[in-house]
Amino acid sequence: MKKTKLTELYKELGIRDEVSHFGDRILDSLRERFEEIDQTAEYNQLKVIQAMQKSQVNENCLHYYASGYGYNDLGRDTLEEVYASVFHTESALVRPQITCGTHALALALGAVLRPGDELLSPAGKPYDTLEEVIGIRPSKGSLAEYGITYSQVELLPDGTFDYDAIEKAVRPNTKLITIQRSKGYLTRPTFSVSQIGELIAFVKKIKPDVICMVDNCYGEFVETLEPSDVGADLVVGSLIKNPGGGLAPIGGYIAGRKELIDLCGYRLTSPGLGREVGASLGVMQSFYQGLFLAPGVAAGALKGAVFAANIYERLGYKVVPDSRESRHDIIQAVELGTPEGVIAFCRGIQAAAPVDSYVIPEPWAMPGYDSDVIMAAGAFVQGSSIELSADGPVRPPYAVYFQGGLTWHHAKLGILMSLEYMMRDGLITDHDIMGYDGLLTGDTE
Ligand SMILES: *Cc1c(COP(=O)(O)O)cnc(C)c1O
């Protein structure tokens, strides 16, 4: 009875019965996966609550409205203590003045590196926006302009670390290595926390004083461990991704060794002033509450990614990660194979949004891309990619990358809607999703 009512409502929202049923059948096969995701979320939820209790977070922390210089901003200072507890680090910098993830990464690099130092990426090319920060692509204000050199070791063809080449690339002036946990928009696998731990241990054995930084974007709370639990000296991320829980309207964090976090403070504000200044201007409640919700939000996004991988893989599309792989970030890529597929998928995601659902996304020439890009986002916070969002460059292999969903049920609606739109455009047929029943029998691990 209840089920019928639910299908009715899906239908009112534009999802035909066949698509709902197909989704249900896929879901039936995912119970164990979801159970595992919930267990991770439970652990991380307790970890966050424990950290908040330990720092005695109280009402004054939430509503302490510091302006001006922001000396003794209780809410800010306590929140930084909470982040340090969650990441098991000595210290943390968590500020609305850190404008985004790229800024947080640039800040950490600029704070630690000095002219003559070398930065090493032992695991392939870093995130696009870091190319200009480092100066891989010449850019005003890059680290290269300050006499900081860069070297990079490619991954082996199977996506693992090339330890021989890394050993040779660690030089006397190698000051910092940067490891990106998430694949971002590359096709390599995402690294697990334990893989990152192995890499850090290897590099530290060669040169114990190397500072190991991890770009943690999209990875927070996906596992029970964070890179700082396995030897990272600095972990860096954005608050409009996982740890902001969808509520933080801006911000970034850096957690790590105190000496390094203090340097980041001097770089963010000014030598001498450091972390003492930087008023929190009333955003603290959203930072605390967002962090509190973040483990559950990350779990919802993860369920969405697993659901989508299973839906689209069963329909014959290549998905990365695949339907059964273990997950280390919340990004899902689906190779749709045609421009029409990319467009229909993104339009479906958009149509499921709570905000701007009536907008029809179009491919567009974006700065920095060599092809048109289509983006779907109906977000409460501009550009927030912990909210359900998708984008794809309109070029072969016609892959879309999608991530987020503040709740699992929204992610589910978005994915069903993407399928519905693909069907409306004739890219997937009734036959494709009906023929699935037979496949399901005996289709377990
Ligand atoms: C999003 C992201 C960044 C950059 O963050 P912005 O907030 O977009 O500047 C860096 N690295 C990775 C892996 C990311 O996913």
Side-chain angles (χ1 to χ4, degrees), residues 99-103 105 127 129-130 180-185 215-218 238 240-241 331 385:
T99 55
C100 61
T102 304
H103 184 191
L105 290 157
Y127 200 71
T129 56
L130 284 193
Q180 184 180 310
R181 178 174 177 181
S182 165
K183 67 184 167 306
Y185 303 118
D215 173 352
N216 209 22
C217 283
Y218 286 132
S238 162
I240 63 167
K241 293 179 180 169
I331 300 179
S385 46

Side-chain angles (χ1 to χ4, degrees), residues 86-89 193 214 225-235 255-256:
V86 167
F87 287 97
H88 302 126
T89 55
V193 170
V214 175
L225 291 178
E226 297 292 338
S228 41
D229 292 312
V230 295
D233 301 293
L234 289 170
V235 288

